[in-house]
Every structure is written in C-alpha cells, then in structure tokens.
DNA sequence: TAATTAAGTCAGAGTGTCGTACTATCGTCA
DNA sequence: TGACGATAGTACGACACTCTGACTTAATTA
C-alpha cells in the first residue's frame, strides 16, 4: 500500500529470522517438545557437544550469567540439559545436552532443513548459497564472540 | 576453537540483526533518547507516516493487541507518539509519530547508514547489494503481512 | 599466604508478553 | 431499522524474561 522506501537491513534480517524461529517452535511442539521457549532455545542452541560453561554461554548469547543460569535451570528441570562439575575448574560446572535434549536435535534440524529448502526454492539455489556465504562472512564483523 | 559445522541460517540472520539493534540503541541513547526500549522500537519502526492502527501494528510486529497497546502507552508517555481518533472508524484510533518521535528518525537513520557502510566495507558493495536484494526477496515468503 | 580475579548463585525489581474477558462501534441483512 | 455477528481497542491477571547488586567458593597471582 505504501512502501516506496526500502526497509533497513536490520528489519530485513529480523523478518526471516523470526519466521524460521516460529516454524521450528511449532514443529518441536508438534513433536511433543512443547515446553521449550524461545529464550531457552537461544541458549540451548549454543551448547557445545562436550558441554559449555555458563559464563561462556552468557557471553555468546549476549545475556548475563544470572539470566542464563535461570534459563538453564528450566532446561534442566525439563530434562533437556544436565549440569556436571567441570573437571578442570572447581568453580565451574559444565552444561551438557541430556538425553531428551539430544532427541530434539534431529527434529529441529529437519525443520530447519525444510524451511531452508523452501527458501532455496523461492530464491534459487545459487542465491541461497550466496545468502549463506554473505551472512557467514558478516558474522566476522558482527559477532563479538568469534 | 570448534566450529566445523556451519550455523543454521536462522542464527546467522540473528547475529547481525542483534548487532544492528545494539548499535542503534547505543546511538539513540547517546543522542539523548535514552528511554526507548527495543520492544518499543520494534513497534515504532513500523508506524506508517500517516499513522497506524493498533491492530495493524500488532499483526505486522507479530504481537498481540494488548502488548502493542502497552508499548504504545509507554511511547506516548515519553512523547514519541500520539493517539488520535481515526476519522474513518469510530472504534479505531490512529497512532502517529509525535514531535519527539520525528526527531529520533534522522538519528536512527544516520546510525543505520553508518553500520551499513561498515558492512559494505567488509563485504564489498556488490555483495552488500546482493544481501539487501536477497533479503527483500525472502521477505515475500517470510513476512505473512505483505 | 594474602589479595585479586573468575564462576556461579541468590534476592529483588522492572519489563515484556500473553490469555481471557469486556465495551464500544461497525457492517449487514432480514 | 434494528438485531446480530465481527472488529478495534482496553482491563486485568499471570507468567516469562532480563537486569543490578550482593554474595560464596575456588583459582590465580604476587
């Protein structure tokens, strides 16, 4: 109706991000993982396979330690992750994906693949690959954590 | 240290989005617009120049009417927007950008331009344009609202 | 070994979001 | 023209998320 001016890139990034997130949540819920909030997922998503420390997760997700601790509590109660002492540092504990957490992974990956396929279908494979490559490159200047 | 597998496109979209948002907020705060939260901004950003209805904003932002009403209350109290009756519908009210709101726009636009310039500098102009074009195209399949 | 730094927790407060229920107004059609 | 279903918005209550500040425990450094 009234869009002569192009949206800024920030908003353009946000729109598909949100669409992807919504699809993944709907799919997880349909597969029985219906406790699981976006905030929890943003932490869960960054767990290293061998486990991550709270402080590390907080830095990566751009949240405080307290917030991540709160979210990990919930994930732990729901059986998605477990905490164990870090053998290399008595102060630290490692947050690791637990059995139920592992089960979400193929489900989520399947939905992501499905959405990506739809996008590739719309954009064409070549541009989809360009998008992925450009975003990965952009990460080097926008992700303070690597 | 440990990133052989590529991140999914959702997360790759989120990282620069978040970086852009953080920069805009820091800049607005530095310019004296230090009340102004991300949630408020996500609504404010979608206001049509002639004013928008609450329901319309809610649909675009993917929020409920109540949530948007709550955020608009705050924006109104802070002088960024004003509400007026919709001459075409007695039930509706138009939310319009108010004087103080208009003043944020060049500031925000300047920061967005600055960040985009940095990105273009890193990616090269050609790929920056590709990114913009691809995202705009992707919007047709990911934005349920247009 | 004392001082400093780092990992994590606890407590409290403020913000953001939703579901349900309600009022007022609009549009339609008998 | 007036009754009825749909739509715009508000009110209230609950819960999720996030932060700040203060604290505990363990590691590191001097």
């Amino acid at each position: 109706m009234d869009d002569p001016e192009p949206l800024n890139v920030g908003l353009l990034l946000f729109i598909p991000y949100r669409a992807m997130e919504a699809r993944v949540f709907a799919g997880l819920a349909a597969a029985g993982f219906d406790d699981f909030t976006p905030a929890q997922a943003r932490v869960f998503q960054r767990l290293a396979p061998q486990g991550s420390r709270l402080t590390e997760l907080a830095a990566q997700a751009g949240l405080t330690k307290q917030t991540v601790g709160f979210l990990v509590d919930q994930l732990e109660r729901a059986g998605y992750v477990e905490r164990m002492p870090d053998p290399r540092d008595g102060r630290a504990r490692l947050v690791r994906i637990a059995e139920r957490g592992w089960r979400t992974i193929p489900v989520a990956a399947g939905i992501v693949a499905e959405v990506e396929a739809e996008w590739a279908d719309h954009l064409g494979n070549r541009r989809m690959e360009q998008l992925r490559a450009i975003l990965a490159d952009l990460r080097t200047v926008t992700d303070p954590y690597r």
Side-chain angles (χ1 to χ4, degrees), chain A:
Chain A
M1 225 73 69
D2 60 290
D3 201 335
E5 102 283 13
L7 293 187
N8 83 62
V9 175
L11 195 45
L12 286 177
L13 288 161
F14 181 70
I15 292 168
Y17 161 71
R18 178 113 170 192
M20 172 70 86
E21 188 178 76
R23 284 285 291 277
V24 171
F25 272 87
L28 284 173
F33 302 108
D34 56 350
D35 46 352
F36 209 54
T37 66
Q40 289 167 26
R42 286 193 277 271
V43 168
F44 184 82
Q45 192 168 203
R46 311 209 187 216
L47 285 171
Q50 348 73 272
S52 304
R53 293 188 188 178
L54 215 52
T55 306
E56 197 182 341
L57 288 171
Q60 286 177 30
L63 299 170
T64 60
K65 297 184 289 179
Q66 296 89 321
T67 298
V68 174
F70 174 79
L71 295 169
V72 168
D73 283 347
Q74 298 171 213
L75 286 166
E76 191 174 25
R77 257 196 312 276
Y80 291 117
V81 306
E82 58 199 358
R83 282 193 245 228
M84 52 176 303
D86 184 337
R88 290 175 318 193
D89 189 332
R91 295 167 301 178
R93 299 165 75 190
L94 290 176
V95 181
R96 274 202 322 194
I97 301 177
E99 194 275 326
R100 188 170 182 223
W102 287 114
R103 280 192 282 124
T104 65
I105 292 184
V107 177
I111 302 162
V112 168
E114 188 181 301
V115 174
E116 289 187 5
E118 289 173 17
W119 291 3
D121 201 51
H122 179 77
L123 295 173
N125 284 322
R126 199 174 123 271
R127 293 171 84 217
M128 186 69 192
E129 272 321 304
Q130 284 177 356
L131 174 63
R132 201 190 303 272
I134 292 171
L135 289 174
D137 190 1
L138 201 50
R139 188 177 171 206
T140 63
V141 284
T142 53
D143 189 345
Y145 203 70
R146 61 176 301 115

